[in-house]
Structure formats: structure tokens, C-alpha cells
Amino acid sequence: MTNSISTRVAILGSGPAGLTAAIYAARAGLAPIVIQGIQPGGQLTTTTDVENYPGFRDVIQGPWLMEEMQAQAEHVGTKIVWDHIAEVDLSRRPFRLSGDGGTHYFADTLVIATGAQAKWLGLPSEEHMKGRGASACATCDGFFYRGKRVAVIGGGNTAVEEALYLTNHSHDVTLIHRRDSLRAEKILQDRLFAHPNIKLMWDSEVVEFVGGGEPEALVGLDVLNKLTGEITRVPVDGAFVAIGHKPATELFASQLELDEDGYIKVELGTTRTNVAGVFACGDVMDKIYRQAVTAAGTGCMAALDAEKFLASMEFEALAAE
Ligand SMILES: Cc1cc2nc3c(=O)[nH]c(=O)nc-3n(C[C@H](O)[C@H](O)[C@H](O)COP(=O)(O)OP(=O)(O)OC[C@H]3O[C@@H](n4cnc5c(N)ncnc54)[C@H](O)[C@@H]3O)c2cc1C
């Protein structure tokens, strides 16, 4: 049997952006629904220690933070639905969303908070060492490697920025790149080449993340020199994979304006997309900061933008009577 649910605000995604939007929309009396997707709680549920989310003196755990955010959203009146949206129609209001399980959602406004996923190299040893020294976010985890040896893998702007950022914590940063030149902007390359604490390994590919000790932690990377075929062990305590992110925007590709990397475009200083009544927040529209607190911040903005939009629609409808 097909089920259908109507709402004034549908929020797609249950990471920090979606749940913060829900808290604000619920407290504005809009009774939002959050459609959780296949990763309830979002990316932070895949990590352990979080030390940079404000309000907590001690280190907190990512999954715990997201459970608290969900509980807060529910406490103020959000309905959380376990579903994954497979199709959307944004051509007219109410917008129509179709869930995997056959449920249809009709929404006066839509807040998109579907996030972005880091790209990884895809090695089994990399998967095994996630949270034990392998990371995809220097801003998030760099602090844990104070005074230690770290490597960054990649050759674009993000890789170079992460390597430079890591010099705040480490005197021994190695950038490993599979080609013989970087794709990063010239100004970033100049800063990188001039830095005394950054070494470069060109034409090099990581083939193994090597763990050791008890509890197990990263102790090195096996790196293949593509020109000579030689494999060298590079001793490091942390390895940051910086080969890009993929925003979860396939659903909207032909319906919303996206930038060249697939992120949803919003009007500067707002969360408004090019479709009236559709708002985007968090990592799905932010390829620069990608932090829980910035996702939460733009989630708040999206709820306020949606509330304002609904109020203006209702005012226009009244005026037309
Ligand atoms: C390992 C790791 C460690 C991190 N550590 C930190 C840290 O210490 N501090 C920090 O500030 N940030 C950290 N980050 C970054 C932070 O997690 C992200 O910036 C933040 O989660 C982005 O929030 P978001 O709500 O935009 O998206 P996400 O958290 O990515 O959530 C996206 C949501 O959208 C849902 N979704 C996707 N597609 C659909 C669909 N079709 N239908 C329904 N739902 C859908 C997913 O299920 C998910 O719930 C870390 C990230 C990772 C991966």
C-alpha cells in the first residue's frame, strides 16, 4: 500500500545541518519531518573523538553528539522518518519526494541537507585504519597528531591546504602525490614548496596503510614509486586522504543549479537555491569549511529562510482573497 505524508517543511538528511534545521523549524511551529537516509546522524557517526564542537569542555564522541541532536529535535516537535529518498519532483509545489519504501512526501518547502562523502583510496588496509590514524579531514583530526609525523595524500587545493594546515601541529609533513606536478593553485604551491617542514613524494602511490602496537594505530604507509616500481615504508602516525569529496546531489542534478563540482548553488549569504521554496545547507552546499558547526549554522539559516518563505506565501494568499 502506498503511504503519503504531507508537511510544511521536509528536511532531507539527519546530520548536523538537517537536525539543526529541524530544531529551528520545530520551534517556529512548523512541525517538520526529517527523512534520515541511510546514514542516520550523518558523517559524525563514523568518527569517535570530536573536540571542536562548541559547548563541551571534554572530548565527546561523534555518535553520541548526533543522538543528542536527534533527541533535541524530537523533543521540540520534529518527526523523524527512517526512509531514503529515491526521486524528487521540484517542478511544482508542494514538492514531491518518493521514498525507497514507496512512501510519497508532499512538502511546501524542502531543506536539502544530504551532505557529502569524502573520497577514499579504496584500500582494505585504509578502511581498517580509519579512526586509527587514517583520516579524511585535517581540520577535524590534525590536532590529535601534535608533534607527530603525518602524511597527506593528494595533489589538488585541498591536499595542499591540508598539508599547510598540518604544519600548525606537526614538524614533519609529507605530501604524497601520484603525478609529477600538483593541480593546486600556484599561490598554494608556492607556500607549500617554501615550507621547511613539508616534504614531497612525487609519482608515488600509497599501496598499504600499516598498523602496529596495542591498541593498534597507524605506524606507516607503504608507498610505490611509479617510475622505479620500488616500495618504500614511510613512517607516519597520521595519514590524511585529500582526494576530494562527492556531494550527495544526484537526485537534484536536472532540477537544481549545481556548481562544477556538483555542490548545490545558493544565493550568497542565504540558503536559497534557484528553486523558490527549496533550501540547501551543510556540506551539500559548502565545499570549503565542511565542519559540523558550520553545517549546523547553515541548517539554522535554512530553517529561518524556509519559515520566512512560508510566511510570505501565506501573506500573499491572504492578500489575494
Ligand atoms: C570521519 C569524520 C570525522 C569528522 N570529524 C569532525 C570533527 O571532529 N569536527 C567537525 O566539526 N566535523 C567533523 N567531520 C565533518 C562533519 O562530520 C561534517 O562536516 C558534517 O557531518 C556535515 O553535516 P551535514 O549535515 O551537512 O551532512 P552529513 O553529516 O553528511 O549528513 C548527510 C545526511 O543526509 C542523508 N542523506 C543523503 N542522501 C539522502 C537521501 N537520498 N535521502 C534521505 N537522506 C539522505 C544521510 O543519511 C545523512 O543523514 C568529520 C567527518 C568525517 C567523515
Side-chain angles (χ1 to χ4, degrees), residues 16-309:
L19 290 176
T20 306
I23 292 165
Y24 276 78
R27 293 192 77 253
L30 298 173
I33 65 163
V34 168
I35 303 163
Q36 283 185 311
I38 49 174
Q39 192 176 55
Q43 294 171 60
L44 271 193
T45 59
T46 66
T47 191
T48 50
D49 292 356
V50 175
E51 214 173 26
N52 54 10
Y53 197 83
F56 305 96
R57 181 194 308 236
D58 297 319
V59 175
I60 53 169
Q61 300 297 297
W64 174 84
L65 177 63
M66 297 319 299
E67 273 172 33
E68 290 296 308
M69 261 190 226
Q70 178 173 333
Q72 186 180 359
E74 287 178 305
H75 177 72
V76 292
T78 303
K79 181 174 175 190
I80 310 267
V81 182
W82 197 90
D83 202 351
H84 176 261
I85 296 302
E87 230 178 286
V88 296
D89 179 359
L90 307 180
S91 62
R92 60 183 184 278
R93 274 196 311 275
F95 305 119
R96 184 183 165 129
L97 321 177
S98 307
D100 267 347
T103 304
H104 296 300
Y105 303 86
F106 296 91
D108 295 334
T109 56
L110 174 65
V111 172
I112 301 172
T114 48
Q117 297 288 327
K119 291 182 190 160
W120 294 87
L121 301 176
L123 300 168
S125 58
E126 170 195 59
E127 183 62 34
H128 179 68
M129 295 313 295
K130 280 182 191 170
R132 299 182 172 104
S135 169
C137 177
T139 317
C140 311
D141 297 332
F143 190 69
F144 298 124
Y145 297 94
R146 287 184 304 279
K148 299 191 171 171
R149 296 162 302 189
V150 295
V152 175
I153 300 146
N157 280 349
T158 308
V160 174
E161 279 170 353
E162 299 231 323
L164 289 165
Y165 174 82
L166 285 165
T167 60
N168 294 321
H169 305 298
S170 167
H171 57 282
D172 188 347
V173 179
T174 306
L175 184 77
I176 301 170
H177 185 40
R178 64 196 167 116
R179 300 190 199 286
D180 62 0
S181 61
L182 299 169
R183 289 186 321 278
E185 284 165 35
K186 165 99 174 47
I187 177 91
L188 285 173
Q189 295 198 30
D190 291 346
R191 284 176 54 204
L192 182 93
F193 296 143
H195 206 292
N197 296 343
I198 301 178
K199 292 178 285 211
L200 278 127
M201 286 181 84
W202 298 110
D203 298 302
S204 296
E205 234 172 67
V206 174
V207 289
E208 187 81 11
F209 287 66
V210 185
E214 188 55 49
E216 192 183 18
L218 188 73
V219 295
L221 296 172
D222 283 349
V223 180
L224 167 76
N225 182 309
K226 289 169 60 185
L227 301 182
T228 63
E230 196 188 337
I231 293 181
T232 315
R233 173 137 325 157
V234 181
V236 289
D237 308 287
F240 294 85
V241 179
I243 55 173
H245 282 74
K246 189 174 180 316
T249 50
E250 295 89 345
L251 273 179
F252 315 106
S254 57
Q255 304 188 56
L256 284 180
E257 222 179 297
L258 307 179
D259 75 6
E260 65 286 1
D261 297 316
Y263 289 81
I264 298 179
K265 276 190 175 179
V266 293
E267 217 175 284
L268 194 65
T270 78
T271 62
R272 289 197 291 264
T273 69
N274 65 313
V275 173
V278 178
F279 307 90
C281 53
D283 285 12
V284 76
M285 49 71 91
D286 164 27
K287 58 180 170 193
I288 298 174
Y289 302 105
R290 288 196 285 252
Q291 292 296 291
V293 69
T294 47
T298 53
C300 157
M301 289 165 64
L304 297 180
D305 287 345
E307 194 275 329
K308 205 160 137 195
F309 175 83

